[in-house]
Amino acid sequence: MSMFRKLFFPQRRAARRPAVDATALIASPSIRYEPPAGSKKINLALQGGGSHGAFTWGVLDYLLEDGRLAIAGLSGASAGAVNAVMLADGMVRGGPEEARCRLAQFWRATSLAGEFSGLKRSARILSRTATPVRAWMDAFSRNLSPYDFNPLNINPLKQLVESYVDFDAVRAAELPLFISATNVQTGRARIFSADELTADVVIASAALPSVFRAVEIEGVPYWDGGYTSNPPILPFLQTRESNDVLLVQIKPVNRPDTPTSSQDIAARITEIGFNAALYAELRAVALLSETAEAGPADGSPYRPIRMHRIALPLDQRLTPGSALDTDYRLLEALQQAGRKAAQEFLDAHFADIGERATLDVSAAAPASIHAEAV
């Protein structure tokens, strides 16, 4: 057992940052948060993207500090699901400041816990030493599944989520919350609502197949929700607190360079798939919103949605493969980028919230597939 842990889940050096007292966090009491007068209600839809989800942490941190937006509902996939439940847990038990603390402590702990797969980290370290070693390790990591290199099914992310989130409190809250996961057998999305929320649901939503085993819930295996609903937006057509949805998108649509390493190729394929799921959902939202605006039939459960977006800027440091990098310097840089992007969004569009959409869904997610102009 000890050799297995050292090989696949090596411990990092002593952290320079203070350790997290998870017990104290869980013990905080529940409260009912009342948003300040003059704030505008909005739903947040948080896309998945591994460590790049630290950008979303920064967006949320600024929105909570600013206070002009009151959160009416949340949805998330993968890392977005983790951010969503951390935010919900903090809001339920302490309001915005507690939510900011919870998010910051979680992302620090993520860095201290190391990368999601010790084998893949070791492979990347060894691959830098010599070309033959690199070729062998690339082939080795490509041909091993989580069922091979993690026979005990150890999942440090699940341990973190269980330490930080009081799922009983989140389930009992009145905050609409939607988490997506992908049914391995049918390939369809399942959207879990707040009353179904457990640690397994969150981990299923973040179960990237190349890194984690499928997570069984009620006998059904699930993979990362990013493949089929990234993040869930359609459920907000039926919620009542706000018609505005702010999408935090962290998967880049375009990349100027062609990936060449096996890691970056696989990660770029995931990026394309994650955004394909998002755009399919945006097209459906646009269609249903147009129908509702035109005069829905009596008893229709849908209502139009006004879409907004904050997107992660493309940065040379953010390769497709860096989504598995948990170096805290990268996470801090992403958090600061998220805060800056949120500030710029509010400065430009706060007056639009509740009045008009600032994201043209038709342009962002074209309905037709066409050849690129040469």
Side-chain angles (χ1 to χ4, degrees), residues 28-33 74 84-96 98-99 102 165-175 177:
S28 58
S30 298
I31 68 164
R32 182 176 178 82
Y33 171 70
L74 288 165
V85 297
M86 294 298 160
L87 173 59
D89 181 79
M91 291 297 292
V92 167
R93 293 188 287 132
E98 180 70 13
R102 195 62 52 98
V165 180
D166 183 342
F167 285 97
D168 289 334
V170 174
R171 284 192 296 267
E174 298 178 357
L175 181 68
L177 177 60

Side-chain angles (χ1 to χ4, degrees), residues 101-349:
C101 175
R102 195 62 52 98
L103 285 160
Q105 294 282 22
F106 171 80
W107 281 99
R108 280 197 289 267
T110 297
S111 178
L112 298 180
E115 296 181 357
F116 295 145
S117 166
L119 174 63
K120 292 182 181 293
R121 176 169 65 243
S122 300
R124 286 199 296 277
I125 293 172
L126 289 174
S127 71
R128 300 189 188 109
T129 59
T131 299
V133 174
R134 175 172 184 167
W136 183 84
M137 290 304 295
D138 280 349
F140 182 59
S141 61
R142 280 199 305 270
N143 290 292
L144 281 182
S145 82
Y147 295 84
D148 298 319
F149 65 72
N150 187 7
L152 299 183
N153 197 22
I154 297 172
N155 191 325
L157 181 59
K158 182 176 181 180
Q159 297 168 2
L160 283 178
V161 170
E162 288 177 332
S163 296
Y164 277 82
V165 180
D166 183 342
F167 285 97
D168 289 334
V170 174
R171 284 192 296 267
E174 298 178 357
L175 181 68
L177 177 60
F178 307 100
I179 302 298
S180 65
T182 301
N183 185 317
V184 176
Q185 297 169 338
T186 66
R188 296 178 179 176
R190 176 171 174 183
I191 309 301
F192 293 88
S193 56
D195 59 347
E196 302 174 291
L197 196 62
T198 64
D200 281 340
V201 167
V202 178
I203 299 309
S205 185
L208 198 64
S210 61
V211 180
F212 296 124
R213 291 188 182 194
V215 178
E216 286 201 6
I217 300 173
E218 299 172 350
V220 178
Y222 291 96
W223 275 337
D224 200 302
Y227 292 108
T228 50
S229 183
N230 191 25
I233 300 173
L234 286 169
F236 294 124
L237 286 161
Q238 296 179 280
T239 58
R240 299 298 172 194
E241 289 296 314
S242 174
N243 285 32
D244 291 85
V245 176
L246 173 57
L247 165 68
V248 183
Q249 185 174 358
I250 59 177
K251 285 294 187 184
V253 178
N254 302 307
R255 281 195 179 274
D257 302 318
T258 302
T260 56
S261 72
S262 61
Q263 180 194 18
D264 283 352
I265 290 169
R268 181 55 179 157
I269 291 171
T270 298
E271 285 181 346
I272 293 169
F274 276 22
N275 277 327
L278 168 62
Y279 292 144
E281 192 145 351
L282 285 176
R283 286 192 290 270
V285 166
L287 177 61
L288 290 170
S289 291
E290 288 173 6
T291 301
E293 286 175 347
D298 290 343
S300 171
Y302 303 121
R303 59 195 177 81
I305 280 180
R306 293 180 291 265
M307 288 297 306
H308 312 273
R309 177 172 63 184
I310 296 175
L312 171 63
L314 192 61
D315 188 299
Q316 289 183 342
R317 294 171 297 177
L318 301 180
T319 66
S322 66
L324 287 177
D325 185 353
T326 56
D327 186 289
Y328 197 72
R329 290 169 297 182
L330 173 65
L331 302 184
E332 280 187 313
L334 284 164
Q335 191 257 6
Q336 289 302 309
R339 285 183 55 86
K340 181 174 183 291
Q343 180 179 11
E344 291 173 350
F345 171 81
L346 283 177
D347 289 346
H349 298 300

